[in-house]
Every structure is written in C-alpha cells, then in structure tokens.
Amino acid sequence: MDERQLRVLREVGELGSVTAAAEALLVTPSAISQQLRLLQRSMPVPLTERDGRRVVLTAAGRALASAAADVESALARARQTVEAFVEQPDGVVSIAAFHSAAAAFFPRLLRAEAAPKLSLHDEDVPQDEFPPLTREYDVVLGHRLDHAAPWPRTVAVTSLLHEPLDVAVPADHPLAAKRSLTPRDVAHEPWITVHDGFPLMATIEAIGAAANHRLDLVHRVNEFTVVAELVAAGAGVALIPRWTAQRHPAVALRPLRNVHTRRHIDALYRPERAARQAVRTVLTELRHAATAVRA
C-alpha cells in the first residue's frame, strides 16, 4: 500500500462512490478503481462492499481508513520538517577539499558574512575518488586536468577555477631568468611531483613525452607548501598551481609552453543537496571566493 491508495480509500468511504471520490481528487473514476484494486490485493480481507448504488467500507476498510488519517498527518508533519530544514539558512554545511583548494577557499568561506555554519575537512584523493565523497559531504572541491575525463553525471558541478600550473624553480636558478619555459628546458632537471594516481601525474608524463626524455622523478610529495620548500632548497623543479598555492619568496614560477598545464577546480555535490538554502549559499560564496583567488 502507499499514501495515494490510502487517501482514495478514505475519500470513497466518506463520499460513498467512486465517481464522487474521482471528482474530489481530480482524477478519473477508472484511476480510483485501479488504486482500490491495488490496495485490496495487499489486504487479506475485503475493504469495500456494495450497499445498493453506494460503495461503503467494510469494518476492515473503516479501520484502515482511520489509520490512513494518522498516516497522512504524520506525512504532513514530516514534509513540514523537511521544508523547514531545506529553508534553514544557517544549517551546518560539510565541505571537503584537497589541500591547496582548502588553503585557498576555506579561510575566505570562514570570513564570509553570509556563509552558514561550516564543517571543514581535507580529502586529498585521486580524481575518480572525488565524486564518491559527495555521499559523505554536502560539497566536495575536486580538481581534474584539461584532458582528463569529465565528472560523472551522478554529481552536479559548479565550476570555480581553470587554473594554470607553472614550473617552480629556485629564484636563483638560471631558468628563472626566462619569462617562460619549454619541456626541453626542464626535461633534464630533477623533479618533485605527486604520487602515482593523482591528476598532476598526467601532465608530468606529457612534459616528458613532449621533450622525448624520461623525467627524473626524485621526490614524491602531494602538499604544495612542502613542494615549494623543497624547490627553494634546490631539490628540483616542480609544477605548482599559479593561484591556489602559497607563494614562496625563494621560488620563481614560470609558465610552460607547448603542453596543456591547466586544471579545473570544481565544487561537486549531489543535486538533492542543493535544495538546501544553506548549501546554495555556500556555492554562491565559493564562486565569490574563486573570483578573489584569481585576482
């Protein structure tokens, strides 16, 4: 049984005919009859009977109709509770982000006057593991490279940044004197890069392919703050995001030519989460924060 069938039973019992119930519910008499048949199939005893030209409820039907009123009242209260939750402007919104996005976006969200209460989390995972995180968090900040597969249709996406990835070199390195670099310029340098499986590795491989040289991957570090310190110490060169990574005074960033070195930073969420006003407010503040990050 379901809510529609119970409501049909109540209306038939009160009005005494299928036709009258159909008029009250703005449906056809055949639709009323079908709902009654479906409900009757799930019951071990008759629910209706004929009394002349009228359709009346049996004792079992009256008992079920009475219970149906309680069911409708409970469902109405549940809907009101959900509607209040959805429209609540200051409900807690959980957000997860990979490290550089967290550093760039979380402080701006916390300072935003319109932002609701936040529960912030770091999740540094491979690209295909960002969408499943939307089961656990209201909003997930994920990143993917230009040539990577798009996000699956199971998640909604709000685009935030299309960020360049620059080559980071020590400020006193000869390469720092150039305004831009090519794959051949950096192919013979020691490299600091992320672990296998993370989005940035595809760009590292593309640099080696463009230079026709296997890059020497000396250090594997995912946190860009640590990467910048290693570059400053002369441990090698690296790719570092232009806008979201913290600048280091001893590190120079130079754009790389002839290889696509941009990543998308997007807010991922399940479509139903955006029904909440608090989540919609967070998405608006994330877009404002993205404008500030680019600037």
Side-chain angles (χ1 to χ4, degrees), residues 30-292:
S30 62
I32 295 293
S33 298
Q34 182 185 30
Q35 292 299 319
L36 286 175
R37 285 195 299 271
L38 291 172
L39 180 60
Q40 183 62 71
R41 288 175 188 172
S42 65
M43 295 292 117
V45 294
L47 299 175
T48 63
E49 61 186 5
R50 284 283 179 180
D51 182 10
R53 300 184 66 179
R54 289 171 52 83
V55 176
V56 298
L57 302 186
T58 63
R62 290 193 298 273
L64 183 57
S66 176
D70 295 335
V71 170
E72 285 205 58
S73 297
L75 288 173
R77 289 193 300 271
R79 291 191 191 98
Q80 291 170 358
T81 300
V82 171
E83 289 169 0
F85 171 74
V86 165
E87 296 304 321
Q88 187 177 9
D90 57 351
V92 176
V93 177
S94 59
I95 308 174
F98 59 96
H99 294 150
S100 56
F105 284 92
F106 284 178
R108 288 176 168 84
L109 286 177
L110 291 171
R111 291 194 295 265
E113 293 183 4
K117 297 175 184 176
L118 302 174
S119 176
L120 305 176
H121 308 263
D122 68 322
E123 292 281 0
D124 195 23
V125 298
Q127 178 184 329
D128 59 357
E129 294 183 22
F130 282 113
L133 290 174
T134 58
R135 289 196 294 266
E136 184 175 352
Y137 303 104
D138 293 314
V139 180
V140 175
L141 299 189
H143 60 137
R144 66 177 185 85
L145 298 175
D146 270 348
H147 52 272
W151 301 114
R153 294 183 179 181
T154 54
V155 296
V157 180
T158 294
S159 298
L160 299 176
L161 292 173
H162 190 204
E163 183 178 28
L165 301 167
D166 294 329
V167 178
V169 300
D172 57 356
H173 194 286
L175 292 176
K178 296 189 175 187
R179 297 182 61 180
S180 63
L181 301 172
T182 68
R184 288 185 178 276
D185 291 330
V186 297
H188 296 277
E189 299 290 331
W191 276 83
I192 307 160
T193 189
V194 297
H195 294 277
D196 287 333
F198 286 80
L200 203 58
M201 274 306 301
T203 300
I204 297 295
E205 293 165 359
I207 293 171
N212 196 27
H213 183 80
R214 185 181 180 88
L215 301 186
D216 184 15
L217 309 181
V218 179
H219 305 291
R220 299 288 191 133
V221 178
N222 277 23
E223 173 52 57
F224 287 120
T225 303
V226 179
V227 171
E229 292 291 346
L230 294 177
V231 172
V237 302
L239 285 180
I240 287 185
R242 184 178 299 176
W243 299 324
T244 55
Q246 295 181 1
R247 294 296 181 92
H248 193 293
V251 173
L253 297 184
R254 295 293 179 263
L256 186 66
R257 305 194 308 271
N258 305 327
V259 174
H260 288 290
T261 56
R262 281 180 177 264
R263 67 175 180 177
H264 296 268
I265 297 180
D266 301 315
L268 312 179
Y269 48 95
R270 296 202 163 193
E272 63 271 20
R273 303 286 183 111
R276 292 180 56 200
Q277 181 179 336
V279 173
R280 295 196 302 271
T281 298
V282 164
L283 293 173
T284 297
E285 293 301 328
L286 282 170
R287 288 192 291 268
H288 293 164
T291 300

Side-chain angles (χ1 to χ4, degrees), residues 4-5 7-9 11-12 17-38:
R4 291 176 302 172
Q5 295 165 3
R7 188 175 184 193
V8 163
L9 183 70
E11 294 294 337
V12 170
S17 80
V18 169
T19 301
E23 291 176 354
L25 296 176
L26 302 178
V27 297
T28 64
S30 62
I32 295 293
S33 298
Q34 182 185 30
Q35 292 299 319
L36 286 175
R37 285 195 299 271
L38 291 172

